[in-house]
Amino acid sequence: MLRLFSWNVNGLRAILKKDFCEDIAKLDPDVLCLQEIKLQEGQTDFQMEGYYDYWNYAEKKGYSGVAVFTRREPLAVTRGIGIEEHDREGRVLCLEFPEYYLVNCYTPNSQNELRRLPYRVQWEEAFRNYLNELAKKKGVILCGDLNVAHNEIDLKNPASNRRSAGFSDEERAEFTKLLESGFIDTFRYFYPEQEEAYSWWSYRTRARSRNAGWRIDYFVVSQDLEEVIKDAKIHSDIMGSDHCPVSLDIEI
């Protein structure tokens, strides 16, 4: 059994000053995917003993970025999706293993008043095409902060957030298109009716203490991996970021 974890750490250097290392030791992941690391090459000497590590940094300092730590060495590593306008922000890291591709993603936020929504929709189409091309070759495991609460069950206050970034009709429709193209939202696969299961809470409103959250962190797999996924969890008891880790157990 392999256990994969994904966590938006909202700044790796910041979370390293908290209980991050102790938390990761307890989780004991086979693969750990991080998003929003907010650093450049050489700005941290953080390593995990016994793991290979791979990084994709944004061109802009202190912004975005993803990393993967894996006990098993991949066959190949790719940074970005091969489209320059989408690859400047360090949002995608793909590791190829013999049985599957692992794609770690930090999806662009549509921002206040949805001012970046047009770009977000362009990104979604390009990224979906990228995933579907991978899926033609072998199974795909996508994880990360996908910056969308898919359905009303996936956030505390759907009515008041209808035109908020992460819950616009357009963003939700793009996630539906991804699933309809041959992918599975693993948490909802195992827990289709579970309410108040969130992975992000706003710092501004002290939302975490009230569990007024959103489920925007995912493990999504191509349908040909359906038989090997065994469980998906949200680890809301783990602090340190405005997001909590999510995990997927697979039997490969």
Side-chain angles (χ1 to χ4, degrees):
M1 185 79 72
L2 291 177
R3 175 160 285 186
L4 298 85
F5 282 85
S6 174
W7 195 358
N8 179 322
V9 292
N10 194 11
L12 179 58
R13 287 171 293 178
I15 203 170
L16 282 170
K17 298 174 183 176
K18 304 176 184 178
D19 295 326
F20 177 76
C21 291
E22 292 83 353
D23 289 333
I24 295 303
K26 291 175 185 175
L27 294 175
D28 193 29
D30 293 297
V31 178
L32 174 65
C33 298
L34 304 180
Q35 304 89 41
E36 207 172 359
I37 56 174
K38 293 184 177 179
L39 49 76
Q40 310 301 120
E41 186 173 7
Q43 289 189 309
T44 182
D45 57 3
F46 173 70
Q47 291 183 312
M48 291 173 56
E49 186 176 353
Y51 291 79
Y52 299 91
D53 59 283
Y54 304 94
W55 308 75
N56 189 12
Y57 309 100
E59 292 179 3
K60 181 179 176 181
K61 292 183 178 179
Y63 180 75
S64 188
V66 292
V68 177
F69 301 83
T70 170
R71 286 193 169 118
R72 183 186 186 195
E73 186 175 10
L75 300 174
V77 178
T78 305
R79 293 164 178 83
I81 63 175
I83 301 175
E84 184 179 357
E85 66 177 305
H86 295 315
D87 289 345
R88 297 175 182 146
E89 297 182 357
R91 294 188 176 275
V92 176
L93 191 55
C94 176
L95 276 61
E96 180 184 358
F97 294 97
E99 307 88 353
Y100 60 88
Y101 292 100
L102 172 67
V103 180
N104 180 17
C105 176
Y106 177 38
T107 299
N109 190 299
S110 293
Q111 301 184 350
N112 292 337
E113 299 180 355
L114 300 177
R115 63 179 180 270
R116 211 183 187 197
L117 181 60
Y119 172 73
R120 167 69 179 266
V121 172
Q122 293 175 10
W123 156 275
E124 292 282 359
E125 181 177 4
F127 187 54
R128 184 170 62 252
N129 290 340
Y130 168 78
L131 294 174
N132 280 310
E133 286 301 312
L134 291 180
K136 291 177 181 178
K137 303 170 188 175
K138 65 179 77 174
V140 174
I141 299 174
L142 163 66
C143 71
D145 175 1
L146 303 188
N147 260 317
V148 61
H150 187 212
N151 292 312
E152 291 190 355
I153 193 175
D154 294 316
L155 73 166
K156 183 70 171 182
N157 299 303
S160 62
N161 283 294
R162 184 67 181 274
R163 292 301 294 166
S164 296
F167 195 62
S168 68
D169 292 346
E170 293 88 343
E171 291 163 305
R172 297 169 64 194
E174 291 299 322
F175 192 74
T176 297
K177 289 178 185 177
L178 175 62
L179 299 183
E180 289 178 345
S181 73
F183 287 84
I184 297 168
D185 174 354
T186 61
F187 184 79
R188 286 294 170 220
Y189 178 86
F190 291 108
Y191 309 103
E193 307 298 332
Q194 185 168 335
E195 299 179 350
E196 299 189 346
Y198 308 130
S199 65
W200 173 78
W201 304 261
S202 172
Y203 279 145
R204 289 178 291 181
T205 60
R206 296 183 179 178
R208 195 157 189 171
S209 63
R210 299 179 286 111
N211 197 29
W214 299 50
R215 188 177 72 93
I216 60 176
D217 300 89
Y218 293 81
F219 272 95
V220 173
V221 303
S222 53
Q223 289 179 349
D224 53 334
L225 295 178
E226 180 177 4
E227 292 186 0
V228 303
I229 57 174
K230 300 305 175 184
D231 200 6
K233 293 187 181 299
I234 299 174
H235 301 265
S236 57
D237 58 322
I238 297 179
M239 312 297 283
S241 169
D242 52 350
H243 295 249
C244 73
V246 298
S247 67
L248 176 69
D249 292 344
I250 62 172
E251 200 166 76
I252 287 182

